Amino acid sequence: MAKNTTQTSVFDSTPDSQMYEYKLSVEKVQTELLQYGLTSNQSKVFIYLGKYGAKTAPEVCKALKLPRTETYHLLSALQNKGIVSATFQHPIQFTALPLDKAIWILVNSEKERVKSLEQMEKGLSELWDNIPAFDSIHDEVEEKFQMLQGANQIHSKITEMTDSYNDEFLILGSEKDYLKLYHGDFLESFIKSKQSFRLLSACSDKTTYIFDDLERKNIKKLSKDIENHLCFILKDNGEMLFFTKNANSSEELFAMWTNSKSMVYSMKLLFESLWTNSKNIHL
């Protein structure tokens, strides 16, 4: 009598089973893999192959309860990404790469994609500039407000601001805010900058090393009376990014960007007042 090789996967485990603890870990891995560009079912197939070994497409289909046609599409997509390989034997078996190698491939693929997009920018800008503005009646700059959620959106906006400022850049923030700016390489923009910048910081003596490569005359220490819930960035007296939830918050970061003249002017007044009443960082 043929031995029954049907295997219940960890994806089917229930709360009362011994496998359920592993299922929770698998779901966390599955969620994390979404950040690397995999769909939910692609990550599911990858995890299954990675933990259950080489399988045929029908075995994957049956174990994960996926439609047959979708299973073949998923396996093909994972092969195209370079993280699943197939044998030449019959029937064809599919194998997942070790997780560290798979992530390395996915990350480098994303880097190449971004590099390609950057190379396209010049040509795309030229095409854009060749198209006239068909509604240029209103020359006055419209005031705009943009809500930013999460580190990626906020970091992209800060990078855009630091890369394009012409006159002066002002930052006020807590110790944790500046540590995030430092580890995100945002402060490097000021090391050899010919433009003016001033930084108001609540950093302690233990973290003043983040300013080692900067002109200390452009940096002052906030009074201890100022609460660590305030963080904002001003660019050229024309733009402002204000954190509604800063690095001291355990929740996801939120910030607001605006070019509102009145709001920028108000925060500039606040900055100048605090700058006047603050002391220089000690050498």
PDB file of all heavy atoms in Angstrom, residues 257-269:
ATOM      1  N   TRP A 257       4.303  69.410   6.242  1.00  0.00           N
ATOM      2  CA  TRP A 257       5.117  70.336   5.451  1.00  0.00           C
ATOM      3  C   TRP A 257       4.207  71.429   4.905  1.00  0.00           C
ATOM      4  O   TRP A 257       3.066  71.167   4.511  1.00  0.00           O
ATOM      5  CB  TRP A 257       5.775  69.620   4.276  1.00  0.00           C
ATOM      6  CG  TRP A 257       6.465  70.563   3.326  1.00  0.00           C
ATOM      7  CD1 TRP A 257       7.745  70.986   3.367  1.00  0.00           C
ATOM      8  CD2 TRP A 257       5.865  71.239   2.203  1.00  0.00           C
ATOM      9  NE1 TRP A 257       8.000  71.876   2.355  1.00  0.00           N
ATOM     10  CE2 TRP A 257       6.867  72.045   1.619  1.00  0.00           C
ATOM     11  CE3 TRP A 257       4.594  71.244   1.644  1.00  0.00           C
ATOM     12  CZ2 TRP A 257       6.622  72.844   0.502  1.00  0.00           C
ATOM     13  CZ3 TRP A 257       4.338  72.038   0.534  1.00  0.00           C
ATOM     14  CH2 TRP A 257       5.355  72.821  -0.032  1.00  0.00           C
ATOM     15  N   THR A 258       4.709  72.658   4.896  1.00  0.00           N
ATOM     16  CA  THR A 258       3.923  73.759   4.342  1.00  0.00           C
ATOM     17  C   THR A 258       4.846  74.866   3.839  1.00  0.00           C
ATOM     18  O   THR A 258       5.985  74.996   4.296  1.00  0.00           O
ATOM     19  CB  THR A 258       2.958  74.341   5.395  1.00  0.00           C
ATOM     20  OG1 THR A 258       2.175  75.386   4.789  1.00  0.00           O
ATOM     21  CG2 THR A 258       3.715  74.918   6.583  1.00  0.00           C
ATOM     22  N   ASN A 259       4.326  75.631   2.886  1.00  0.00           N
ATOM     23  CA  ASN A 259       5.022  76.843   2.434  1.00  0.00           C
ATOM     24  C   ASN A 259       4.228  78.081   2.818  1.00  0.00           C
ATOM     25  O   ASN A 259       4.408  79.153   2.237  1.00  0.00           O
ATOM     26  CB  ASN A 259       5.258  76.804   0.920  1.00  0.00           C
ATOM     27  CG  ASN A 259       3.949  76.760   0.135  1.00  0.00           C
ATOM     28  OD1 ASN A 259       2.871  76.569   0.704  1.00  0.00           O
ATOM     29  ND2 ASN A 259       4.028  76.922  -1.169  1.00  0.00           N
ATOM     30  N   SER A 260       3.338  77.911   3.794  1.00  0.00           N
ATOM     31  CA  SER A 260       2.524  79.027   4.280  1.00  0.00           C
ATOM     32  C   SER A 260       3.424  80.120   4.861  1.00  0.00           C
ATOM     33  O   SER A 260       4.187  79.881   5.805  1.00  0.00           O
ATOM     34  CB  SER A 260       1.554  78.531   5.361  1.00  0.00           C
ATOM     35  OG  SER A 260       0.978  79.606   6.052  1.00  0.00           O
ATOM     36  N   LYS A 261       3.332  81.322   4.305  1.00  0.00           N
ATOM     37  CA  LYS A 261       4.184  82.423   4.743  1.00  0.00           C
ATOM     38  C   LYS A 261       3.976  82.757   6.215  1.00  0.00           C
ATOM     39  O   LYS A 261       4.930  83.019   6.950  1.00  0.00           O
ATOM     40  CB  LYS A 261       3.917  83.659   3.880  1.00  0.00           C
ATOM     41  CG  LYS A 261       4.377  83.516   2.436  1.00  0.00           C
ATOM     42  CD  LYS A 261       4.123  84.805   1.663  1.00  0.00           C
ATOM     43  CE  LYS A 261       4.610  84.699   0.235  1.00  0.00           C
ATOM     44  NZ  LYS A 261       4.361  85.942  -0.545  1.00  0.00           N
ATOM     45  N   SER A 262       2.716  82.756   6.638  1.00  0.00           N
ATOM     46  CA  SER A 262       2.427  83.132   8.025  1.00  0.00           C
ATOM     47  C   SER A 262       2.973  82.105   9.011  1.00  0.00           C
ATOM     48  O   SER A 262       3.533  82.461  10.056  1.00  0.00           O
ATOM     49  CB  SER A 262       0.915  83.296   8.226  1.00  0.00           C
ATOM     50  OG  SER A 262       0.229  82.096   7.911  1.00  0.00           O
ATOM     51  N   MET A 263       2.837  80.812   8.675  1.00  0.00           N
ATOM     52  CA  MET A 263       3.331  79.773   9.580  1.00  0.00           C
ATOM     53  C   MET A 263       4.855  79.742   9.611  1.00  0.00           C
ATOM     54  O   MET A 263       5.470  79.598  10.670  1.00  0.00           O
ATOM     55  CB  MET A 263       2.773  78.410   9.170  1.00  0.00           C
ATOM     56  CG  MET A 263       1.271  78.265   9.374  1.00  0.00           C
ATOM     57  SD  MET A 263       0.691  76.566   9.222  1.00  0.00           S
ATOM     58  CE  MET A 263       1.438  75.826  10.660  1.00  0.00           C
ATOM     59  N   VAL A 264       5.467  79.888   8.435  1.00  0.00           N
ATOM     60  CA  VAL A 264       6.926  79.911   8.366  1.00  0.00           C
ATOM     61  C   VAL A 264       7.469  81.101   9.144  1.00  0.00           C
ATOM     62  O   VAL A 264       8.432  80.983   9.912  1.00  0.00           O
ATOM     63  CB  VAL A 264       7.405  79.960   6.899  1.00  0.00           C
ATOM     64  CG1 VAL A 264       8.912  80.198   6.834  1.00  0.00           C
ATOM     65  CG2 VAL A 264       7.054  78.663   6.178  1.00  0.00           C
ATOM     66  N   TYR A 265       6.829  82.254   8.984  1.00  0.00           N
ATOM     67  CA  TYR A 265       7.264  83.473   9.683  1.00  0.00           C
ATOM     68  C   TYR A 265       7.127  83.310  11.198  1.00  0.00           C
ATOM     69  O   TYR A 265       8.013  83.706  11.965  1.00  0.00           O
ATOM     70  CB  TYR A 265       6.442  84.663   9.206  1.00  0.00           C
ATOM     71  CG  TYR A 265       6.810  85.971   9.858  1.00  0.00           C
ATOM     72  CD1 TYR A 265       8.035  86.587   9.599  1.00  0.00           C
ATOM     73  CD2 TYR A 265       5.934  86.595  10.741  1.00  0.00           C
ATOM     74  CE1 TYR A 265       8.375  87.788  10.202  1.00  0.00           C
ATOM     75  CE2 TYR A 265       6.263  87.793  11.349  1.00  0.00           C
ATOM     76  CZ  TYR A 265       7.490  88.387  11.073  1.00  0.00           C
ATOM     77  OH  TYR A 265       7.826  89.571  11.684  1.00  0.00           O
ATOM     78  N   SER A 266       6.035  82.694  11.626  1.00  0.00           N
ATOM     79  CA  SER A 266       5.812  82.498  13.062  1.00  0.00           C
ATOM     80  C   SER A 266       6.880  81.595  13.668  1.00  0.00           C
ATOM     81  O   SER A 266       7.433  81.883  14.743  1.00  0.00           O
ATOM     82  CB  SER A 266       4.428  81.884  13.303  1.00  0.00           C
ATOM     83  OG  SER A 266       3.401  82.748  12.839  1.00  0.00           O
ATOM     84  N   MET A 267       7.189  80.505  12.982  1.00  0.00           N
ATOM     85  CA  MET A 267       8.199  79.588  13.504  1.00  0.00           C
ATOM     86  C   MET A 267       9.599  80.195  13.431  1.00  0.00           C
ATOM     87  O   MET A 267      10.456  79.893  14.259  1.00  0.00           O
ATOM     88  CB  MET A 267       8.147  78.267  12.736  1.00  0.00           C
ATOM     89  CG  MET A 267       6.811  77.539  12.844  1.00  0.00           C
ATOM     90  SD  MET A 267       6.232  77.320  14.549  1.00  0.00           S
ATOM     91  CE  MET A 267       7.310  76.014  15.101  1.00  0.00           C
ATOM     92  N   LYS A 268       9.821  81.057  12.436  1.00  0.00           N
ATOM     93  CA  LYS A 268      11.114  81.734  12.353  1.00  0.00           C
ATOM     94  C   LYS A 268      11.280  82.667  13.557  1.00  0.00           C
ATOM     95  O   LYS A 268      12.364  82.756  14.146  1.00  0.00           O
ATOM     96  CB  LYS A 268      11.191  82.527  11.047  1.00  0.00           C
ATOM     97  CG  LYS A 268      12.484  83.356  10.876  1.00  0.00           C
ATOM     98  CD  LYS A 268      13.686  82.467  10.674  1.00  0.00           C
ATOM     99  CE  LYS A 268      14.980  83.280  10.538  1.00  0.00           C
ATOM    100  NZ  LYS A 268      14.971  84.211   9.396  1.00  0.00           N
ATOM    101  N   LEU A 269      10.230  83.379  13.926  1.00  0.00           N
ATOM    102  CA  LEU A 269      10.288  84.246  15.106  1.00  0.00           C
ATOM    103  C   LEU A 269      10.595  83.436  16.361  1.00  0.00           C
ATOM    104  O   LEU A 269      11.383  83.855  17.219  1.00  0.00           O
ATOM    105  CB  LEU A 269       8.965  85.000  15.275  1.00  0.00           C
ATOM    106  CG  LEU A 269       8.653  86.118  14.279  1.00  0.00           C
ATOM    107  CD1 LEU A 269       7.290  86.719  14.598  1.00  0.00           C
ATOM    108  CD2 LEU A 269       9.732  87.205  14.323  1.00  0.00           C
TER     109      LEU A 269
END
